[in-house]
Amino acid sequence: MQPVLDPSPRNGQKKMLLVFGSFFAIFVIIAIVATIASP
């Protein structure tokens, strides 16, 4: 497994964007579920 902070990332920006995008998507899904589940 590669280190998270690579000194010379070839595809680092895209990978970081993908990670942040997936975290944001999960957060949005949790928010929607919480909104539906709340009385």
Side-chain angles (χ1 to χ4, degrees):
M1 190 165 172
Q2 283 184 332
V4 180
L5 292 170
D6 200 338
S8 54
R10 265 165 286 185
N11 211 11
Q13 202 167 9
K14 191 190 281 186
K15 192 190 291 180
M16 200 157 71
L17 204 75
L18 196 79
V19 170
F20 275 109
S22 57
F23 270 117
F24 185 72
I26 292 164
F27 182 78
V28 168
I29 291 165
I30 291 169
I32 292 167
V33 170
T35 305
I36 294 166
S38 64

